[in-house]
Amino acid sequence: MAIIINVDVMLARRKMSVTKLADEVGISLTNLSLLKTGKVKGIRFATLNRICAVLDCQPGDILEYRPGGEGESEEDME
């Protein structure tokens, strides 16, 4: 299974740059870029909350579950 990060979709819908979102959320451009590309293991609820507030969206607009994704095992879920 895999969790897909759709920050880029929401940025396009809001016509907002990654740099502007990073500034408004208060995280580094590097960390936001890593999140956007799905190269992170987790996200703090406080950060997700700020992203949703800035993009005026729900967490489900940003995070998507797709079964059958790569790299995850049952051990990762414990």
mmCIF file of all heavy atoms in Angstrom, residues 59-77:
data_model
loop_
_atom_site.group_PDB
_atom_site.id
_atom_site.type_symbol
_atom_site.label_atom_id
_atom_site.label_comp_id
_atom_site.label_asym_id
_atom_site.label_seq_id
_atom_site.Cartn_x
_atom_site.Cartn_y
_atom_site.Cartn_z
ATOM 1 N N PRO A 59 -7.514 17.437 4.667
ATOM 2 C CA PRO A 59 -6.381 16.520 4.584
ATOM 3 C C PRO A 59 -6.531 15.488 3.458
ATOM 4 O O PRO A 59 -5.555 15.127 2.809
ATOM 5 C CB PRO A 59 -6.357 15.842 5.955
ATOM 6 C CG PRO A 59 -6.976 16.852 6.867
ATOM 7 C CD PRO A 59 -8.032 17.536 6.041
ATOM 8 N N GLY A 60 -7.750 15.046 3.207
ATOM 9 C CA GLY A 60 -7.994 14.080 2.141
ATOM 10 C C GLY A 60 -7.741 14.628 0.749
ATOM 11 O O GLY A 60 -7.598 13.863 -0.209
ATOM 12 N N ASP A 61 -7.674 15.950 0.624
ATOM 13 C CA ASP A 61 -7.326 16.558 -0.663
ATOM 14 C C ASP A 61 -5.822 16.440 -0.914
ATOM 15 O O ASP A 61 -5.379 16.520 -2.056
ATOM 16 C CB ASP A 61 -7.712 18.038 -0.694
ATOM 17 C CG ASP A 61 -9.214 18.251 -0.594
ATOM 18 O OD1 ASP A 61 -9.978 17.409 -1.117
ATOM 19 O OD2 ASP A 61 -9.631 19.264 0.006
ATOM 20 N N ILE A 62 -5.064 16.262 0.160
ATOM 21 C CA ILE A 62 -3.604 16.216 0.070
ATOM 22 C C ILE A 62 -3.076 14.787 0.151
ATOM 23 O O ILE A 62 -2.144 14.423 -0.547
ATOM 24 C CB ILE A 62 -2.980 17.069 1.194
ATOM 25 C CG1 ILE A 62 -3.356 18.533 0.985
ATOM 26 C CG2 ILE A 62 -1.470 16.900 1.245
ATOM 27 C CD1 ILE A 62 -2.969 19.416 2.124
ATOM 28 N N LEU A 63 -3.678 13.971 1.007
ATOM 29 C CA LEU A 63 -3.226 12.595 1.218
ATOM 30 C C LEU A 63 -4.200 11.619 0.574
ATOM 31 O O LEU A 63 -5.406 11.722 0.770
ATOM 32 C CB LEU A 63 -3.130 12.293 2.715
ATOM 33 C CG LEU A 63 -2.233 13.216 3.529
ATOM 34 C CD1 LEU A 63 -2.359 12.885 5.003
ATOM 35 C CD2 LEU A 63 -0.800 13.121 3.069
ATOM 36 N N GLU A 64 -3.663 10.659 -0.155
ATOM 37 C CA GLU A 64 -4.495 9.666 -0.839
ATOM 38 C C GLU A 64 -3.909 8.277 -0.596
ATOM 39 O O GLU A 64 -2.697 8.085 -0.696
ATOM 40 C CB GLU A 64 -4.499 9.972 -2.333
ATOM 41 C CG GLU A 64 -5.243 8.989 -3.186
ATOM 42 C CD GLU A 64 -5.118 9.296 -4.666
ATOM 43 O OE1 GLU A 64 -4.635 10.378 -5.046
ATOM 44 O OE2 GLU A 64 -5.507 8.417 -5.448
ATOM 45 N N TYR A 65 -4.758 7.338 -0.284
ATOM 46 C CA TYR A 65 -4.330 5.943 -0.085
ATOM 47 C C TYR A 65 -4.545 5.171 -1.375
ATOM 48 O O TYR A 65 -5.622 5.213 -1.955
ATOM 49 C CB TYR A 65 -5.136 5.306 1.045
ATOM 50 C CG TYR A 65 -4.934 3.809 1.129
ATOM 51 C CD1 TYR A 65 -3.751 3.293 1.640
ATOM 52 C CD2 TYR A 65 -5.904 2.935 0.683
ATOM 53 C CE1 TYR A 65 -3.551 1.920 1.713
ATOM 54 C CE2 TYR A 65 -5.711 1.565 0.755
ATOM 55 C CZ TYR A 65 -4.537 1.068 1.266
ATOM 56 O OH TYR A 65 -4.336 -0.286 1.334
ATOM 57 N N ARG A 66 -3.511 4.465 -1.800
ATOM 58 C CA ARG A 66 -3.610 3.573 -2.966
ATOM 59 C C ARG A 66 -3.089 2.194 -2.571
ATOM 60 O O ARG A 66 -1.907 2.052 -2.263
ATOM 61 C CB ARG A 66 -2.787 4.102 -4.141
ATOM 62 C CG ARG A 66 -3.380 5.323 -4.772
ATOM 63 C CD ARG A 66 -2.706 5.636 -6.070
ATOM 64 N NE ARG A 66 -3.074 6.982 -6.489
ATOM 65 C CZ ARG A 66 -2.381 7.710 -7.331
ATOM 66 N NH1 ARG A 66 -1.261 7.240 -7.854
ATOM 67 N NH2 ARG A 66 -2.791 8.907 -7.667
ATOM 68 N N PRO A 67 -3.958 1.199 -2.580
ATOM 69 C CA PRO A 67 -3.488 -0.157 -2.259
ATOM 70 C C PRO A 67 -2.527 -0.669 -3.320
ATOM 71 O O PRO A 67 -2.580 -0.244 -4.468
ATOM 72 C CB PRO A 67 -4.769 -0.991 -2.225
ATOM 73 C CG PRO A 67 -5.795 -0.197 -2.942
ATOM 74 C CD PRO A 67 -5.368 1.243 -2.893
ATOM 75 N N GLY A 68 -1.635 -1.560 -2.889
ATOM 76 C CA GLY A 68 -0.708 -2.172 -3.826
ATOM 77 C C GLY A 68 0.501 -1.337 -4.156
ATOM 78 O O GLY A 68 1.196 -1.593 -5.122
ATOM 79 N N GLY A 69 0.777 -0.324 -3.349
ATOM 80 C CA GLY A 69 1.948 0.518 -3.584
ATOM 81 C C GLY A 69 3.223 -0.228 -3.266
ATOM 82 O O GLY A 69 3.221 -1.312 -2.709
ATOM 83 N N GLU A 70 4.327 0.358 -3.617
ATOM 84 C CA GLU A 70 5.617 -0.297 -3.438
ATOM 85 C C GLU A 70 6.264 0.059 -2.114
ATOM 86 O O GLU A 70 5.978 1.077 -1.516
ATOM 87 C CB GLU A 70 6.555 0.103 -4.572
ATOM 88 C CG GLU A 70 6.786 1.597 -4.614
ATOM 89 C CD GLU A 70 7.565 2.030 -5.838
ATOM 90 O OE1 GLU A 70 7.071 1.880 -6.944
ATOM 91 O OE2 GLU A 70 8.676 2.543 -5.627
ATOM 92 N N GLY A 71 7.150 -0.818 -1.666
ATOM 93 C CA GLY A 71 8.024 -0.510 -0.551
ATOM 94 C C GLY A 71 7.446 -0.673 0.833
ATOM 95 O O GLY A 71 8.144 -0.502 1.808
ATOM 96 N N GLU A 72 6.187 -0.989 0.980
ATOM 97 C CA GLU A 72 5.592 -1.120 2.297
ATOM 98 C C GLU A 72 5.406 -2.595 2.621
ATOM 99 O O GLU A 72 5.076 -3.392 1.754
ATOM 100 C CB GLU A 72 4.222 -0.438 2.346
ATOM 101 C CG GLU A 72 4.289 1.059 2.169
ATOM 102 C CD GLU A 72 4.647 1.767 3.444
ATOM 103 O OE1 GLU A 72 4.246 1.311 4.521
ATOM 104 O OE2 GLU A 72 5.333 2.786 3.364
ATOM 105 N N SER A 73 5.597 -2.951 3.845
ATOM 106 C CA SER A 73 5.342 -4.310 4.285
ATOM 107 C C SER A 73 4.446 -4.272 5.501
ATOM 108 O O SER A 73 4.205 -3.222 6.082
ATOM 109 C CB SER A 73 6.662 -5.020 4.617
ATOM 110 O OG SER A 73 7.219 -4.450 5.779
ATOM 111 N N GLU A 74 3.964 -5.423 5.904
ATOM 112 C CA GLU A 74 3.127 -5.499 7.103
ATOM 113 C C GLU A 74 3.892 -4.990 8.321
ATOM 114 O O GLU A 74 3.313 -4.400 9.213
ATOM 115 C CB GLU A 74 2.663 -6.934 7.329
ATOM 116 C CG GLU A 74 1.686 -7.432 6.274
ATOM 117 C CD GLU A 74 0.375 -6.674 6.277
ATOM 118 O OE1 GLU A 74 -0.139 -6.359 7.365
ATOM 119 O OE2 GLU A 74 -0.134 -6.373 5.192
ATOM 120 N N GLU A 75 5.218 -5.207 8.361
ATOM 121 C CA GLU A 75 6.033 -4.762 9.488
ATOM 122 C C GLU A 75 6.042 -3.247 9.588
ATOM 123 O O GLU A 75 6.107 -2.693 10.679
ATOM 124 C CB GLU A 75 7.464 -5.269 9.338
ATOM 125 C CG GLU A 75 7.577 -6.766 9.479
ATOM 126 C CD GLU A 75 8.978 -7.253 9.193
ATOM 127 O OE1 GLU A 75 9.873 -6.428 8.910
ATOM 128 O OE2 GLU A 75 9.201 -8.462 9.247
ATOM 129 N N ASP A 76 5.970 -2.538 8.442
ATOM 130 C CA ASP A 76 5.986 -1.077 8.461
ATOM 131 C C ASP A 76 4.748 -0.514 9.140
ATOM 132 O O ASP A 76 4.750 0.625 9.589
ATOM 133 C CB ASP A 76 6.056 -0.523 7.030
ATOM 134 C CG ASP A 76 7.396 -0.811 6.366
ATOM 135 O OD1 ASP A 76 8.382 -1.008 7.097
ATOM 136 O OD2 ASP A 76 7.440 -0.840 5.130
ATOM 137 N N MET A 77 3.663 -1.282 9.195
ATOM 138 C CA MET A 77 2.410 -0.777 9.732
ATOM 139 C C MET A 77 2.338 -0.921 11.248
ATOM 140 O O MET A 77 1.440 -0.398 11.863
ATOM 141 C CB MET A 77 1.229 -1.494 9.076
ATOM 142 C CG MET A 77 1.166 -1.195 7.607
ATOM 143 S SD MET A 77 -0.308 -1.786 6.749
ATOM 144 C CE MET A 77 -0.600 -3.376 7.420
#
